[in-house]
Every structure is written in C-alpha cells, then in structure tokens.
Amino acid sequence: MAAAFTLSTPAALLPRHSAAGPSLSFRLESRRLSRRGQCAATRRDDGCPRRLPAAAVEATCGRTRRATAVAAAQGQAEAENGTEGSLRMVLLSTAVAVCGSFEFGTCVGYSAPAQAGIVSDIGLSNSQYGVFASILAIGAMIGALISGRLADTLGRKMTMRLAAVVGVFGWLTIYLAEGAMMLYFGRVLLGICTGLLSYVVPVFIAEIAPKDLRGGLTTSNQLFICSGCSAAYISGALLSWRSLTLVGLVPCAFLFWGLLFIPESPRWLANTGREKEFRTSLQNLRGENADISDEATEIREYIETVHHLPKARIQDLLQSKNMFAMIVGAGLMIFQQLGGINAIGFYTSYIFSSAGFSGKLGTILIGVIQIPITLFGALLMDRSGRRALLLVSSSGTFLGCFLTGLSFYFKAQGLHTQLVPALALYGILAYYMAYSIGMGPIPWVIMSEIFSIDMKAIAGSLVTLVSWLGSFAISYSFSFLMNWNSAGTFFLFSAASLVTMLFVARLVPETKGTTLEEIQESLMGVGLTD
C-alpha cells in the first residue's frame, strides 16, 4: 500500500468548498450580498416612485456621487487610523512576546562562550560539560510536553509569564552553582523555560497578527532567538561565565512585566467562551476605528464548528486530516535538527578551535551576521513565501556543512592545510546565514499555522517535543561523532539538508497570505490516500 500526499503545491491551499457545505469565506460573502439586497429592496419599497424625471435623476445621482465621495474619504481616513492603531498594538504585543524568544536564544547560546570558564572554575571534564550543554534539551522536552496544555488552560500570556519565572530561577541557580549538580539543575530549569517559550511565543504571535503580516511577525521569533544567541556569544567573549547569566535575566524581566500591557490572544479568548474579552482584544489589536465584524464572525464560526466536534485526543492525530499536518510539522522539526543546528550552536567555539581558527573571533562573527540575515528573511517571508525560503535555506545549509566537512577532511589528510581554517569559517558562516533565513524560523511559523485550534495543544506540544528530542540526540552525540570522524559528521549533516530539500518540495504547503481559518479549511480535504 502506497501513501500519496495530495497537497504539494501552493495552489492547494486556495480555499475550496467541501462536501459538507460552502466555505467560510463563501458564506461571509453571501451574507454581505444578502444584506445589500435587503437594503436595495427597502429603498424600492419605501414609497419612492420607480421612475423619475431626467433632471431629478441627474440631481439625485450628483448628490449620491458627492455623498459617496465623502463617505469614501471618511472610510479611508478611518481605515488609515485603524491600520495605524492595529499596527501599534500588534507590534507592541509582538515585541513583548519576542522577549521570550530572546531568552530562548540566550539559553541556547550560553554554553559555547561559557565552556572554558566553567571547565576551569568548576573542574568539569569534557564529558560532564557535554552533559551540561545537552541537558538543556531534557528540560525543554519537559516544557514541550506541558506547553500546549498550559497554553490552552492558563492562556498564552500566563504561560509566558510562568516561563519567565522558571527562567529567573534557572539563571540564579547557575550563577550560585559550586558543583556539577547545581549547574545541571539550573540548566534543566532553563530548558523547561525554553520548551514552554518555543511553543507559546510563535503561537501567540500567529494568533494576534493580521494574515498579510503573520509570516514576517512570526519570523521575528527566530530573529530574536538569533539575537539572544548573538548577545550570549558577544557578551561571553567579554564577561565571566557567572556574569553572563545576568544577560539571560534581562529578557525574563522584560517579558514578565511587558505582558501586563498587551491583550490576550483573541482566538484563545473566543475558544474559552469569553465573548466580551474576545471582541475587546481583537478591537485593540486591529485599531479603535477598525471594522472587526467579518474577522470576528469568521473566528467565531470556526471555533463553533470545532466545539461541535468530539474532544481532541492524542489518537486523533492518526486521522488523515491531522496526520498530514503532523507529518509536515514534525518532519520539518526533525530535519531542522538533523541539519546539526544545536550541535553547531552548542559547540561553535570548539568547532572553530578544532579547525585552527580563533573560537572567540568565530563566535563574535556569527553573532554579528545572524541578526541582519534573520531580519532579511523576515522581510522576505510574506513576499517570497515559506516554501521558496525553505528550499534556498536547505541548499545553503548543505553547502555550509559540506565546506566545513571538507576543511576537516583536508586537516585529517594533511592536504591544503592553509585552507583548513578559512574553509571552516566560511562553511560555518554560510550555514548560519542559510539557516537564519529559512530552516530556523519557518518550521516554527508553519507549526503555529497548520494545526486546528482543537488539536493545537496536543499536536503543537508533540511537535515541539520532537524538536527538542532531536536537539538532545544530536547535541549529546556530537562530541562522540567528532571523535569518530570530524569530516564525516559534517558530511552527514549536509546529506540531511539534501533530504530536507526533497521533503519540502514534495510535502510542505504554502501558507502565506491566508488566515488561520482558511488554512484549516483548505487542509480539510487533504490527507493520506491509499
């Protein structure tokens, strides 16, 4: 029996009518046309004569045109004011949420610059430090398992606030550590914080953003993860490992207090039956003068449909309509990790030193290039689309890993020794640049888009768990792989990038420019066929 996936092109996500009835967008348009028809009927039946003299008709038409022009001008002004207001609140809410992304980045980036200081002061062996670096993923798996349920029960904002508190305790534990066990415990707490944030931040941003800005705003999650990594890399070259923990405390504080000034996700409020708060939140996000009636109706109708379905269970993921989304979401996370990002991120300084290049200078260079490249990717997200960026990105990570593997091969064989450091530098820089525009942000963007709101907690938690499980496996085994064959390790990563290109080309749908409800409606007819 062969499984064939019927969605492989951007066109497949165009809204379609199902056998159950017309689409949401079709029904909304029908209601608008019906209201216009009713208004026209009222005008005909209000006692006005059907036929008017030509002069009266002309005068009436002139007044109508002038009134229409004035109304259009007023409507345009209100729309501009509404757009300005909506952008202001959406951008503020996104800015607060991505403080969690920055925290994520500092947690991941901490281990590379802190390695020398911790090994020297605490007396850890290389294998013990390998545990310290990779145990973050263990904590993140715990956070991932509970993230969806917490986000659905407590709300998106409360879950982010809880993560910030856990992060503060994690950093303080590492700062006060005098032995390996306290370091491990603090790192696990940071992992739990990171696991919670890695799910809830992109979901929150996707749920508050207008559809034409959702890709770019959700990509800001990865931009600030890279910014956090860069801050850790650059600060770590200047600060001691204990002082570096203070860099991680700052975003926790901003996240905790900033959440007091932004609205909750309107889709979560609607899903929990808080109608008044739902409309208030959506109005705040779209602007005081914005007309939210159509968007509110679409969200409410979709959620009412979901509420009539049986309560979501984990076995529902095996249904064909959910299985496709799971394969896409989990597959992207698996290939993201098989490409070696967390191994390279945790051991950047070690990789450069092994290739004969300055570890500190290498990490600083990576810290400098990551931010503008990720910002460039965010600007392209809603223009070029998700699939194109993923294909370009995986091609670039293939090239970066191949060049790095080639440098270690030359070093092992004693060939072109003068090229070894340069190849390692260019390879790692190319890898980070390519990763930052696509394979870094887009799997999280797509994860936040493709799951229905009733399955989002279960499916999103599972996909996030898969990501961190892969992170632990790759980062923990990396030192052993490097001892086995340094060049072979990077050639394996480059091979994984090639397979990623095939996966994206065959399976990953295009989701730019569509609402979350339209995406779900389009996926209803997509599944696995025998």
Side-chain angles (χ1 to χ4, degrees), residues 98-100 102-103 106 164 171 246-256:
V98 295
C99 289
F102 192 92
E103 171 65 14
T106 59
W171 287 116
L246 301 178
V247 176
L249 287 170
V250 173
C252 288
F254 274 100
L255 178 63
F256 186 87

Side-chain angles (χ1 to χ4, degrees), residues 100-447:
S101 308
F102 192 92
E103 171 65 14
F104 181 156
T106 59
C107 293
V108 172
Y110 177 80
S111 61
Q115 181 173 1
I118 290 178
V119 169
S120 174
D121 293 352
I122 305 296
L124 298 184
S125 65
N126 286 333
S127 61
Q128 286 178 313
Y129 193 81
V131 173
F132 173 76
S134 58
I135 205 171
L136 177 81
I138 297 293
M141 283 187 266
I142 298 172
L145 279 172
I146 62 176
S147 59
R149 188 61 64 191
L150 285 177
D152 274 4
T153 304
L154 303 179
R156 295 6 178 177
K157 286 175 57 178
M158 184 59 70
T159 303
M160 287 188 278
R161 188 174 287 119
L162 176 63
V165 172
V166 174
V168 167
F169 280 104
W171 287 116
L172 291 177
T173 302
I174 291 177
Y175 179 83
L176 299 172
E178 297 295 338
M181 294 310 296
M182 279 193 72
L183 285 172
Y184 295 162
F185 180 64
R187 190 74 167 161
V188 168
L189 289 178
L190 292 182
I192 294 172
C193 166
T194 304
L196 292 172
L197 293 172
S198 62
Y199 168 78
V200 72
V201 170
V203 166
F204 175 76
I205 296 173
E207 290 181 348
I208 66 170
K211 65 180 181 181
D212 55 334
L213 297 177
R214 190 178 65 244
L217 290 178
T218 310
T219 305
S220 65
N221 173 56
Q222 182 66 25
L223 173 63
F224 277 82
I225 291 174
C226 292
S227 300
C229 283
S230 299
Y233 287 160
I234 296 171
S235 301
L238 306 173
L239 301 174
S240 69
W241 67 272
R242 290 190 194 274
S243 299
L244 188 58
T245 60
L246 301 178
V247 176
L249 287 170
V250 173
C252 288
F254 274 100
L255 178 63
F256 186 87
W257 294 109
L259 289 167
L260 298 174
F261 304 101
I262 63 173
E264 178 59 272
S265 160
R267 285 177 169 85
W268 179 78
L269 291 170
N271 193 44
T272 54
R274 305 181 187 185
E275 178 64 23
K276 184 178 180 181
E277 296 172 68
F278 156 64
R279 294 193 65 87
T280 300
S281 173
L282 189 59
Q283 193 74 66
N284 286 340
L285 289 165
R286 299 296 176 259
E288 182 180 352
N289 298 318
D291 181 6
I292 63 168
S293 56
D294 285 349
E295 185 176 4
T297 300
E298 185 176 4
I299 293 171
R300 195 160 40 241
E301 284 192 354
Y302 171 70
I303 288 175
E304 286 174 0
T305 302
V306 170
H307 283 174
H308 284 93
L309 299 175
K311 186 175 177 61
R313 302 165 299 171
I314 193 166
Q315 54 264 42
D316 292 338
L317 294 175
L318 300 177
Q319 297 176 3
S320 61
K321 65 177 182 179
N322 297 320
M323 179 64 80
F324 177 80
M326 274 300 302
I327 289 175
V328 171
L332 284 175
M333 294 299 182
I334 290 170
F335 285 116
Q336 184 188 63
Q337 297 305 323
L338 289 179
I341 180 57
N342 278 311
I344 295 173
F346 289 159
Y347 297 100
T348 300
S349 180
Y350 168 74
I351 294 169
F352 281 128
S353 300
S354 299
F357 192 82
S358 169
K360 282 191 174 183
L361 179 58
T363 54
I364 290 174
L365 287 174
I366 289 173
V368 169
I369 68 164
Q370 271 190 306
I371 298 174
I373 292 298
T374 307
L375 180 59
F376 179 66
L379 295 175
L380 289 177
M381 180 72 67
D382 288 311
R383 292 175 172 83
S384 61
R386 282 58 154 163
R387 283 165 52 91
L389 283 180
L390 281 173
L391 290 170
V392 171
S393 177
S394 52
S395 302
T397 55
F398 161 76
L399 178 62
C401 285
F402 186 81
L403 290 177
T404 307
L406 200 60
S407 74
F408 280 102
Y409 176 78
F410 286 161
K411 180 181 179 182
Q413 300 299 320
L415 302 172
H416 310 294
T417 54
Q418 72 278 9
L419 293 178
V420 168
L423 280 175
L425 175 65
Y426 294 146
I428 296 296
L429 290 181
Y431 178 89
Y432 270 103
M433 291 172 66
Y435 177 85
S436 297
I437 66 168
M439 284 305 296
I442 295 178
W444 297 104
V445 172
I446 291 179
M447 183 273 291

